[in-house]
Amino acid sequence: MFDQLIAYLDSVRARDPAPRSRWEILLYPGVWAVGFHRLAHWLFDGELYFLARFVNHFSRWLTAIDIHPGAKIGRNLFIDHGFTVIGETAEIGDNVTIYQCVTLGGTNPTNGVGGKRHPTLKDNVIIGSGAQIIGPIIVGERARVGANAVVTDDVPEGATMIGLKARSTLVPAETWLREFIPYGTPCDEPCEQTSSGVERVEALERELAELRAEVAALREERQVPARSRKTGAAS
């Protein structure tokens, strides 16, 4: 067990140039959060749910990192700084690095059945600060997610993801206000029926091009009679 702890601390030191010693790494909130999670997950597997939640809440109070006791975490997870949330059905592989303010969040269980609703991170994944990984998607091995990126689709192995995914779902207020929507995520049906922001921009560009063509045609029609009058006056 001592050798495993030393190996873990060395893996953190290999990814963070700031600490001068292993003792300094022992003060990291991410190290404590992972340690508390090991205990909470063991209690969770033993169906001691209240005790698991108690350890989870104490850890969150102490470290500002919220890891659900049901989440499955591999070896050498490094959470650099706090304010990170990892959901119940999230699965994290080995040697994963997560920076501050990251959310491994879930989708809307519209059928009332929880199931697998949080992401799976494969080995050697790096998640930048502020990134939001939402839904039961898979982030492939050695993939990178940039800071503040919003990822809702599977990420191929070795890919780098940047930018925002957010778009309007065009759900009427009188519809979505009728009931609570977990995580602010509408159900699949209205999302599938709406067009993306890119498609709307393309439609506006086509409409603008048509209007420009009509204006050019009107100008041409006005210029033809003017040229005719000038020709008649000259003769």
Side-chain angles (χ1 to χ4, degrees), residues 178-196:
R178 291 178 182 172
E179 58 182 343
F180 173 69
I181 301 178
Y183 309 105
T185 307
C187 60
D188 293 336
E189 183 176 354
C191 295
E192 292 174 353
Q193 292 176 352
T194 58
S195 59
S196 66

Side-chain angles (χ1 to χ4, degrees), residues 3-80:
D3 291 340
Q4 291 179 350
L5 176 60
I6 294 298
Y8 173 58
L9 297 178
D10 287 343
S11 75
V12 172
R13 192 173 186 180
R15 287 173 279 177
D16 185 6
R20 272 68 174 179
S21 67
R22 296 184 183 125
W23 291 105
E24 191 173 342
I25 298 174
L26 282 173
L27 298 177
Y28 279 22
V31 172
W32 282 93
V34 172
F36 279 119
H37 174 74
R38 301 296 185 193
L39 174 59
H41 186 69
W42 180 75
L43 294 170
F44 188 87
D45 282 345
E47 299 184 356
L48 300 173
Y49 301 122
F50 177 80
L51 291 178
R53 276 294 196 176
F54 180 83
V55 173
N56 164 237
H57 279 271
F58 178 76
S59 174
R60 181 174 60 183
W61 171 79
L62 184 66
T63 66
I65 297 172
D66 186 3
I67 308 176
H68 193 283
K72 299 178 181 179
I73 295 178
R75 295 182 297 107
N76 301 332
L77 169 64
F78 175 33
I79 302 177
D80 195 359

